[in-house]
Amino acid sequence: MTRLWDKGLPLDERILKFTAGEDHRLDERLVAYDVRASVAHARMLEKQKLLSAADAKAICAGLEALAATHAAGEWSIELADEDVHSALERRLTERIGEAGGRVHLGRSRNDQVLAALRLYLRDAIAALAAATDGVAAALERVAIEQGTVALPGYTHMQPAMPSSVALWARGFAAELADDRAALLRVRERSDLNPLGSAAGYGVPNLPLDREATRASLGFARTQEPVTAVQLSRGKAEAALVFEIALVLGDVARLASDLLLFYTSEFAYVSLPAEMTTGSSIMPQKRNPDVFELVRGAQATATGALQEILALTAKLTSGYHRDLQRLKAPLFRSIDLAEDVLAIMAHALPAVRFRPENIELGPELHAAEQANELVVKEGLPFREAYKRIAERLKGLGKP
């Protein structure tokens, strides 16, 4: 198979396998985005008189047909292709002849992959924001349906003050709304047109119109100067995975509460049998595995963030093949976050609080009683605090 960079010498198969790595599998999700960017590039080349109208028409139609057949499952990227870009150009040339070889004029795989990846991130961020909304909406449903159920509020893992299911659920929902806004802000780092920067130093002697491809693809602005494009690699990825880690941290704390509430010692909530799993040895057990897996998910995103940051930390300017390894932790984090948010939105409406098992002891009203003494008797708060503490000693409370 002839590759984009082939110069007539065969490539050692072990070298191919190692250098291609996972790209041929990871890039499956980028096919439609690479097609969009390639179509925009071809139309720009036609506008600039660098590609004939007939060739541009054949290239665009051929690429769109390849995107459709890929979506239908009729072909996939092979190891020998290395990546999405070679896979598409090879199949395009097979489909339309030598015109397919003209589409790479004025491009490198470096700006090509960034264009596809940034288009993908735009959709991924929107999907994650919507999924975060889904969990917040499920929490609001819990608040509406069960919000009047009283709960003890805890500090230092000790009962502290009165709370309620509504306060509990809406607190998490508010944080998820903040997470959603932060996710959408990440888009700014990926909303830059890299096309025309090629391998990081532009394209000599060709009158490329970078503004045309920017407008066609809907990027907010064109990334300038061209040398900044490769220096920005890893930043949007790290920013997104950081926000994913924060989202997963919020749902992990939510899951931790539910796991505590589900213990037989608390028994604050019940879960339907179809949401719990059994034990292989203990007949009586029903386990809330789904929330345990949610609780542990942030660790994966945190590890991915460290992986991304470490990959770019010591690189000099320009392109390095190390950057290829950014995709795996990025995609892993996105996929995990989508799964976790979807399962939480599905599971939360089935959680039922059991008010008959929830007891609020008199000590939970201590702060309220101290404030009442201040208001009614004009005592300094510290004096009121001491009086209430003395009263609680008689109840055997710490």
Side-chain angles (χ1 to χ4, degrees):
M1 178 183 295
T2 301
R3 300 174 184 85
L4 298 182
W5 48 265
D6 269 344
K7 299 173 179 67
L9 298 173
L11 180 65
D12 184 299
E13 287 301 312
R14 291 183 64 181
I15 296 297
L16 169 63
K17 187 175 181 180
F18 182 79
T19 55
E22 299 179 88
D23 258 25
H24 62 293
R25 290 189 295 271
L26 295 173
D27 280 9
E28 295 289 354
R29 73 183 68 199
L30 297 180
V31 170
Y33 299 100
D34 196 67
V35 164
R36 284 174 56 191
S38 295
V39 166
H41 180 73
R43 287 174 176 158
M44 180 275 295
L45 291 178
E46 179 189 9
K47 176 187 170 188
Q48 297 301 106
K49 310 299 183 186
L50 296 170
L51 192 64
S52 71
D55 282 350
K57 181 178 180 180
I59 287 168
C60 293
L63 286 169
E64 287 164 355
L66 285 170
T69 53
H70 180 267
E74 295 178 20
W75 63 273
S76 60
I77 303 169
E78 301 170 13
L79 172 61
D81 290 317
E82 291 192 287
D83 54 36
V84 60
H85 323 298
S86 298
L88 280 168
E89 186 171 329
R90 176 172 70 84
R91 286 171 174 79
L92 179 65
T93 303
E94 290 171 355
R95 179 181 287 263
I96 67 171
E98 68 174 15
R102 302 184 191 280
V103 72
H104 201 64
L105 178 67
R107 283 197 306 186
S108 162
R109 286 188 296 177
N110 296 318
D111 60 342
Q112 198 173 348
V113 68
L114 271 179
L117 186 60
R118 289 174 178 180
L119 292 172
Y120 162 74
L121 286 179
R122 192 157 64 190
D123 286 351
I125 289 167
L128 288 169
T132 304
D133 272 344
V135 180
L139 285 163
E140 179 61 22
R141 178 176 166 185
V142 171
I144 291 170
E145 295 177 355
Q146 305 178 72
T148 58
V149 175
L151 282 177
Y154 287 81
T155 65
H156 303 278
M157 294 298 289
Q158 301 298 311
M161 294 182 71
S163 183
S164 67
V165 169
L167 275 173
W168 173 83
R170 286 178 173 144
F172 280 108
E175 286 307 294
L176 288 166
D178 181 66
D179 292 332
R180 177 189 182 277
L183 281 166
L184 293 174
R185 286 194 293 272
V186 173
R187 176 169 167 167
E188 294 178 16
R189 281 197 179 274
S190 58
D191 208 10
L192 303 169
N193 180 29
L195 289 178
S197 65
Y201 302 94
V203 183
N205 306 326
L206 292 181
L208 300 184
D209 186 349
R210 300 188 70 201
E211 176 60 20
T213 52
R214 182 209 64 78
S216 178
L217 295 171
F219 286 117
R221 60 189 189 277
T222 293
Q223 193 164 10
E224 292 282 6
V226 289
T227 47
V229 176
Q230 295 305 317
L231 287 170
S232 72
R233 298 285 294 267
K235 287 186 176 180
E237 295 91 332
L240 178 54
V241 175
F242 173 75
E243 297 301 342
I244 284 173
L246 293 185
V247 174
L248 293 180
D250 282 332
V251 295
R253 296 185 73 178
L254 171 59
S256 291
D257 274 2
L258 290 170
L259 288 164
L260 185 67
F261 294 166
Y262 186 68
T263 61
S264 58
E265 290 80 4
F266 275 73
Y268 284 3
V269 298
S270 63
L271 302 173
E274 61 269 20
M275 276 180 49
T276 59
T277 64
S279 166
S280 64
I281 189 172
M282 293 168 283
Q284 81 282 10
K285 292 287 298 298
R286 298 301 304 178
N287 302 318
D289 292 19
V290 63
F291 295 124
E292 292 174 333
L293 291 170
V294 168
R295 183 176 59 186
Q298 188 190 37
T300 299
T302 302
L305 177 60
Q306 291 298 320
E307 189 176 345
I308 289 169
L309 292 173
L311 279 167
T312 57
K314 304 299 182 184
L315 298 181
T316 58
S317 61
Y319 174 75
H320 304 270
R321 191 69 180 260
D322 314 44
L323 295 168
Q324 176 178 305
R325 295 191 181 276
L326 290 170
K327 290 178 189 173
L330 174 66
F331 294 168
R332 186 189 320 131
S333 301
I334 291 169
D335 292 347
L336 177 64
E338 288 180 347
D339 285 347
V340 166
L341 293 170
I343 201 64
M344 286 299 280
H346 173 72
L348 281 168
V351 173
R352 306 309 301 178
F353 282 83
R354 304 172 67 184
E356 69 276 11
N357 294 338
I358 303 172
E359 180 181 344
L360 276 66
E363 74 278 7
L364 293 177
H365 300 279
E368 175 187 347
Q369 292 165 0
N371 289 337
E372 188 175 3
L373 286 177
V374 170
V375 172
K376 288 186 175 180
E377 301 183 23
L379 294 177
F381 177 76
R382 285 304 169 200
E383 178 60 29
Y385 178 99
K386 290 176 182 178
R387 286 195 190 182
I388 298 303
E390 287 298 317
R391 287 184 196 175
L392 288 175
K393 282 183 181 178
L395 296 174
K397 300 296 182 181

